Amino acid sequence: MSVSTMVIGESGTGKSTAMRNLDPAHTLLIQAVKKPLPFKATGWNRLDREKRTVGNIYTSDDSQQIIAAMRRTSKHIIVLDDFQYVLANEFMRRSEEKGYDKFTEIARHAWDVLTAAANLPDHVRVYILMHSQSDDFGRTKAKTIGKMLDEKITLEGLFSIVLRTVVRDGHYLFATRNNGSDTTKTPLGLFDNDLIDNDLAQIDAAVCAYYELETSAAANAA
């Protein structure tokens, strides 16, 4: 069973930038929406199966295509950015459909992706990046497409690790502890500090050490 981590936060608070120190040779980035990377992207190249171009950035918001890409890759690290658009884009494509069945189907498609991510080989780590939303009472959670979907699936419930972005004095950080009004959670002893740098490479190293997983370099050398 692979290790999946959810990262939630408002747009511009450092979710995508957190990929900056990941080794592109060992990372597959699946973008739900095609966009430039927010850092100098040396070694990051787009994959296009139709044009037969080799790369480590794949663009799709289709749940079955995403699942197939995750299962097909030999990369040890998979990042899905931004998962909320997998939900929202399907909802918009189906906006003229009447009835409530589409919400159940969208929820099922989201569940399919997250379940597939959790059932990849043991050494694989999957990072799901999502926008956050806060209600009138200040409670913060992963952003979906509203109550009709939230009644059917609680996305954070499928994860043992949920990090939340924090911007403080110009520093971009991840919160590791629940503040009583959000869905942040991490296993006991995984992180020593309540706030850590928004660096997925450091987080991945911590996850590998905690769960005694092979790192990409070690696995490739074997």
Side-chain angles (χ1 to χ4, degrees):
M1 179 176 290
S2 51
V3 179
S4 294
T5 298
M6 176 182 282
V7 179
I8 65 172
E10 296 292 336
S11 181
T13 57
K15 298 186 303 297
S16 299
T17 305
M19 293 185 287
R20 64 194 180 279
N21 291 324
L22 289 176
D23 185 347
H26 304 306
T27 305
L28 171 66
L29 169 59
I30 302 175
Q31 289 185 323
V33 175
K34 186 177 181 180
K35 59 183 179 180
L37 296 179
F39 52 85
K40 188 173 178 59
T42 303
W44 297 83
N45 301 294
R46 293 198 174 276
L47 180 152
D48 190 324
R49 295 181 64 81
E50 292 184 359
K51 296 180 180 179
R52 298 184 179 181
T53 57
V54 177
N56 62 330
I57 303 175
Y58 176 65
T59 302
S60 177
D61 61 7
D62 179 88
S63 60
Q64 292 306 307
Q65 291 181 4
I66 291 170
I67 291 169
M70 292 192 298
R71 290 174 173 170
R72 184 172 55 239
T73 187
S74 61
K75 307 292 187 184
H76 297 243
I77 302 169
I78 300 172
V79 181
L80 177 49
D81 183 23
D82 181 316
F83 187 67
Q84 188 261 339
Y85 284 111
V86 175
L87 309 176
N89 289 358
E90 180 177 358
F91 174 74
M92 293 305 296
R93 285 194 294 268
R94 303 176 64 177
S95 60
E96 295 184 2
E97 292 184 22
K98 306 300 182 182
Y100 300 112
D101 287 349
K102 64 183 176 184
F103 293 100
T104 301
E105 293 171 9
I106 293 171
R108 174 56 192 265
H109 295 158
W111 183 87
D112 286 343
V113 172
L114 299 183
T115 301
N119 286 284
L120 295 170
D122 292 348
H123 64 277
V124 175
R125 289 85 67 195
V126 184
Y127 297 92
I128 308 291
L129 312 186
M130 294 193 67
H131 285 90
S132 61
Q133 63 182 15
S134 298
D135 63 18
D136 295 337
F137 301 98
R139 294 187 292 257
T140 302
K141 60 179 287 295
K143 185 175 184 179
T144 62
I145 54 171
K147 293 181 179 179
M148 293 298 296
L149 186 137
D150 291 344
E151 290 172 356
K152 296 172 175 59
I153 183 173
T154 300
L155 297 180
E156 292 94 330
L158 300 174
F159 295 80
S160 294
I161 306 172
V162 179
L163 305 174
R164 177 176 53 82
T165 61
V166 175
V167 181
R168 181 171 295 178
D169 298 326
H171 297 286
Y172 293 82
L173 308 165
F174 286 151
T176 67
R177 304 281 189 271
N178 193 296
N179 65 10
S181 297
D182 64 15
T183 54
T184 305
K185 56 182 176 179
T186 56
L188 185 64
L190 175 56
F191 299 109
D192 294 330
N193 300 317
D194 292 351
L195 295 173
I196 58 176
D197 189 24
N198 72 330
D199 186 342
L200 282 183
Q202 292 183 17
I203 291 165
D204 188 65
V207 166
C208 288
Y210 187 86
Y211 289 108
E212 299 181 349
L213 304 177
E214 288 184 306
T215 63
S216 299
N220 287 343

